[in-house]
Amino acid sequence: ILGMCIKSGFDNFSYSDRVVTVRGLAEKEVTADKVTWPIVFKEVGNDLPQIYASISKTNNAIVEFLKTNGLSVNEISINAPEIIDLQAERYSSNDKLYRYNVTSVITVTSENVELVNNLINRQAELLKQGIAIIADGYSYRTNYEFTNLNSIKPEMIAEATHNAREAAVKFAADSESKLGKIKTATQGQFSISDRDAYTPYIKNVRVVTTIMYYLED
């Protein structure tokens, strides 16, 4: 009896080393629920008070355009203008036509992504008022976010775990074993990225779980 117990213990110890590690992937496409849209324009000239007056007039026109088309005051903010004195630049020549180059930015932050996308497509209407909006995809890019990750986490973790188990069952069957209990499980980090370069408001959410199962005869 003692010998059989010892043998059983060795067998259980041996089986405890028989494991399989699998990964389960879950992906989901979602629509961004927050957008930050910087509206940028520039003014140049030699008279700062005159430039300031022109910027104020343009800011008011842009804000009116945004409010008229459905945005609230709380969704619009006017940044302090950025002023460059071209004559004060270290390597600047003295043949500049204008001394000052002023950049003004109005930032729209909204959860109404569809409305903002519509206004982005209609911003050319400001040209009728003599307002030239600058497209600067590097310094002032429109940013889309998905902030409601917690609402889809449980569903995606369950899907990733299910996919991992399916892979483990297939491996066990191919090795003429049975799938046992979970030894360890790790939930990977969630990642959110643009689906493509043309629709940045559509996000791809991704998570990978890593699970280690015991294998049994």
Side-chain angles (χ1 to χ4, degrees), residues 22-109:
V22 291
R23 290 181 174 83
L25 169 66
E27 290 184 298
K28 186 179 182 66
E29 283 188 4
V30 297
T31 302
D33 54 18
K34 182 179 179 181
V35 58
T36 302
W37 172 33
I39 306 172
V40 186
F41 67 93
K42 291 181 179 290
E43 293 282 350
V44 294
N46 297 312
D47 189 324
L48 277 179
Q50 183 179 354
I51 294 174
Y52 177 80
S54 178
I55 286 177
S56 297
K57 180 181 177 181
T58 303
N59 282 341
N60 292 336
I62 294 175
V63 170
E64 186 61 27
F65 168 78
L66 298 174
K67 290 167 56 180
T68 301
N69 289 284
L71 289 177
S72 67
V73 175
N74 294 333
E75 296 173 304
I76 305 168
S77 62
I78 301 176
N79 300 357
E82 302 174 5
I83 303 173
I84 298 177
D85 186 343
L86 298 176
Q87 291 185 10
E89 291 290 308
R90 183 175 180 182
Y91 298 105
S92 176
S93 60
N94 294 323
D95 59 351
K96 299 290 185 182
L97 184 60
Y98 298 107
R99 176 174 179 177
Y100 299 107
N101 185 337
V102 183
T103 301
S104 182
V105 182
I106 296 177
T107 304
V108 172
T109 304

Side-chain angles (χ1 to χ4, degrees), residues 2 137 202 216:
L2 179 60
I202 299 179
E216 302 172 353

Side-chain angles (χ1 to χ4, degrees), residues 120-189:
I120 290 174
N121 292 330
R122 292 174 52 195
Q123 62 182 311
E125 295 178 16
L126 293 170
L127 289 174
K128 298 177 182 178
Q129 303 180 46
I131 301 172
I133 303 301
I134 296 174
D136 188 341
Y138 181 76
S139 300
Y140 302 101
R141 58 177 299 184
T142 302
N143 185 47
Y144 295 90
E145 301 174 62
F146 178 69
T147 63
N148 202 20
L149 181 60
N150 287 337
S151 66
I152 62 173
K153 267 187 176 182
E155 173 191 348
M156 293 191 66
I157 292 173
E159 181 184 348
T161 302
H162 174 75
N163 292 338
R165 182 174 179 80
E166 282 192 341
V169 168
K170 180 66 168 60
F171 181 90
D174 291 344
S175 61
E176 298 182 353
S177 302
K178 294 181 180 178
L179 196 64
K181 295 181 179 180
I182 293 177
K183 182 179 181 182
T184 60
T186 304
Q187 174 199 312
Q189 289 187 342

Side-chain angles (χ1 to χ4, degrees), residues 181-198:
K181 295 181 179 180
I182 293 177
K183 182 179 181 182
T184 60
T186 304
Q187 174 199 312
Q189 289 187 342
F190 279 81
S191 63
I192 303 176
S193 58
D194 296 346
R195 184 185 67 176
D196 52 61
Y198 308 101

